[in-house]
Amino acid sequence: NAGVTQTPKFQVLKTGQSMTLQCAQDMNHNSMYWYRQDPGMGLRLIYYSASEGTTDKGEVPNGYNVSRLNKREFSLRLESAAPSQTSVYFCASSDGGYLGDTQYFGPGTRLTVL
Amino acid sequence: GQQVMQIPQYQHVQEGEDFTTYCNSSTTLSNIQWYKQRPGGHPVFLIQLVKSGEVKKQKRLTFQFGEAKKNSSLHITATQTTDVGTYFCAGRGTGANNLFFGTGTRLTVIP
């Protein structure tokens, strides 16, 4: 099992460009999450999907959109990238309900917006 | 809004010394989780605490959940170089939908 996979690993964008970060899990988990990690800020939840077909905003959703394509895949889209979105993005998944579940993280995408 | 604060932000110890990181929430938590992130890596789940006053041990690691369920600590006895990384607590408020991560404590172990 690969667990949680993310593509790409690294990306450099210019301000205003768009891109989609891909995430897939092969653990048959119901819930999936997108976090961003900034120095000194810990991990902050952007969006989550408690189950296939549902998505909800997290702590910092502005400037992002998500799609839960199927049970395995959860993508994060930046429509018009800004330098403030320079960060490391982690996708995670968990089994069952999202309350109190162990989260399994992907390797991360390091995004720089110039 | 809910906040989870973690101290210290950084800690340097000599190999063999003990290490403790503390996590404090502004609100009562339904549970708390601890994760470890190695340099350049991703967070990896260590443990979850649910009950008031709960104490759990994993070899040299001891995790505690406060009686009021608003704070937690992770203590490492006799640190080793393999303990290097950033330790995060993550708390979920009662009735809350999100898991709020602390800012993390970066541990450096000097051989």
Side-chain angles (χ1 to χ4, degrees):
Chain A
N1 287 350
V4 180
T5 57
Q6 292 182 236
T7 56
K9 285 189 167 57
F10 301 93
Q11 183 72 50
V12 179
L13 294 177
K14 294 181 179 178
T15 297
Q17 287 185 317
S18 62
M19 79 160 295
T20 300
L21 281 64
Q22 306 288 352
C23 174
Q25 52 91 9
D26 62 2
M27 296 175 282
N28 201 34
H29 285 169
N30 288 313
S31 302
M32 297 185 73
Y33 314 81
W34 276 105
Y35 291 90
R36 61 176 289 172
Q37 184 175 35
D38 303 295
M41 301 286 289
L43 290 124
R44 292 182 293 170
L45 184 65
I46 304 171
Y47 270 94
Y48 64 94
S49 171
S51 60
E52 187 179 352
T54 68
T55 60
D56 285 288
K57 295 178 180 179
E59 188 184 354
V60 288
N62 290 346
Y64 306 94
N65 285 300
V66 290
S67 295
R68 182 74 182 267
L69 305 170
N70 47 55
K71 192 171 186 178
R72 289 187 65 247
E73 298 171 290
F74 189 38
S75 63
L76 178 72
R77 182 160 178 83
L78 286 70
E79 289 291 351
S80 179
S84 60
Q85 294 178 304
T86 294
S87 188
V88 180
Y89 291 85
F90 287 102
C91 176
S93 71
S94 68
D95 194 16
Y98 47 84
L99 290 175
D101 282 345
T102 300
Q103 302 205 359
Y104 296 84
F105 285 82
T109 295
R110 281 147 182 82
L111 175 67
T112 301
V113 183
L114 302 174
Chain B
Q2 179 166 3
Q3 286 189 326
V4 178
M5 305 303 294
Q6 201 172 340
I7 56 169
Q9 191 173 0
Y10 303 96
Q11 185 77 59
H12 293 74
V13 299
Q14 288 289 140
E15 188 173 16
E17 290 182 339
D18 293 355
F19 158 77
T20 304
T21 173
Y22 300 90
C23 187
N24 292 288
S25 170
S26 55
T27 59
T28 302
L29 301 171
S30 60
N31 59 58
I32 194 156
Q33 298 176 356
W34 285 90
Y35 291 79
K36 177 183 179 181
Q37 184 177 22
R38 293 184 185 275
H42 59 276
V44 175
F45 175 80
L46 294 175
I47 210 160
Q48 177 171 275
L49 305 170
V50 178
K51 299 176 183 175
S52 169
E54 189 170 12
V55 178
K56 287 189 177 180
K57 293 191 176 184
Q58 287 181 349
K59 298 183 180 177
R60 293 178 295 104
L61 278 62
T62 301
F63 303 85
Q64 291 189 308
F65 200 10
E67 293 290 341
K69 300 184 75 173
K70 295 180 77 172
N71 57 74
S72 181
S73 65
L74 158 59
H75 179 81
I76 303 178
T77 304
T79 54
Q80 300 174 359
T81 54
T82 53
D83 295 326
V84 164
T86 301
Y87 292 85
F88 291 97
C89 62
R92 192 178 307 280
T94 53
N97 293 332
N98 296 348
L99 192 67
F100 286 89
F101 278 81
T103 47
T105 296
R106 184 184 296 178
L107 173 64
T108 301
V109 180
I110 304 163

